[in-house]
Amino acid sequence: MQTLIRYQVLKPDEAGLLHPEAEITVGDWLDMMAHAATTYISSSNNGDDGKPKSIAGVAPEDVYYASVQYASGAGWIDAKSQVAVHDKLTRDKLAALLAGILQYSKLTAYLNENGEANQFADAASIQNKGAVTLAVKLGLLQGTQGTGGRFEPQHIVTKAEAAQIIMKLVKLQGHTDQKIVQSY
């Protein structure tokens, strides 16, 4: 976590506290990833009338707008989709966002029917089975141990868990077909 604080991916509050067990939102995750990927995020997405326009359903005045704009520009999310940035980030949604960051969305479509996510005891509640399979195979996420283990797709991701995944992405860097995050 110290490394991520140093690079301003994680930011302590006014009292200097990090709150590692705090649950995060989809927007928090995109903000963390955007700051992990680049040192400078700006927002300038003007429409034909010169006024900023919404991206992925996120208005220009939203606190997460610049991060959503970065994620869209990087190809992590579809600018025409609707990203619920203020919703809590579940493990299932995180797996789908990781597939976008890694730009393996086509592979996850294949893995939907042919992947390990179908072996979890709670597979019926996993919406993004292909993305979960990919994230598990890459060691970014894991289920509980043992036969018939659970993935817990509706578990809300904490700041500490997100930080661990970002550092795993750093280690994965160079083993994927595209750049993921800045080097630490």
Side-chain angles (χ1 to χ4, degrees):
M1 291 186 107
Q2 293 298 326
T3 301
L4 296 178
I5 292 169
R6 184 172 3 133
Y7 285 94
Q8 298 182 10
V9 174
L10 295 177
K11 298 170 188 124
D13 65 13
E14 305 80 36
L17 301 173
L18 193 56
H19 305 286
E21 295 308 314
E23 295 176 339
I24 65 170
T25 65
V26 171
D28 293 332
W29 169 255
L30 291 175
D31 191 57
M32 291 169 67
M33 279 305 303
H35 282 90
T38 185
T39 55
Y40 179 73
I41 300 173
S42 69
S43 59
S44 60
N45 187 34
N46 295 331
D48 294 336
D49 59 1
K51 295 181 182 177
K53 61 180 181 173
S54 293
I55 300 173
V58 178
E61 58 273 3
D62 193 292
V63 67
Y64 298 118
Y65 183 77
S67 298
V68 168
Q69 182 181 30
Y70 182 86
S72 172
W76 298 348
I77 60 171
D78 181 357
K80 296 176 185 166
S81 66
Q82 295 292 313
V83 178
V85 292
H86 296 283
D87 286 0
K88 293 289 186 177
L89 180 64
T90 64
R91 286 170 47 87
D92 198 9
K93 180 64 178 174
L94 175 59
L97 290 168
L98 286 167
I101 289 166
L102 295 166
Q103 298 182 5
Y104 288 144
S105 296
K106 288 182 182 179
L107 179 60
T108 61
Y110 169 75
L111 293 173
N112 235 5
E113 302 298 323
N114 304 302
E116 283 83 359
N118 293 307
Q119 297 173 7
F120 286 116
D122 53 0
S125 60
I126 299 173
Q127 292 180 353
N128 300 295
K129 288 183 175 73
V132 167
T133 295
L134 178 72
V136 169
K137 281 200 168 287
L138 293 175
L140 298 171
L141 294 172
Q142 59 188 11
T144 57
Q145 300 295 323
T147 305
R150 302 179 59 79
F151 181 71
E152 299 180 2
Q154 297 310 311
H155 169 80
I156 306 299
V157 178
T158 66
K159 195 180 289 186
E161 291 166 336
Q164 289 174 336
I165 292 165
I166 290 172
M167 293 310 293
K168 288 177 182 180
L169 284 169
V170 170
K171 291 179 181 165
L172 191 59
Q173 183 91 345
H175 299 286
T176 61
D177 295 330
Q178 63 282 324
K179 182 177 177 189
I180 304 168
V181 295
Q182 63 183 322
S183 298
Y184 292 104

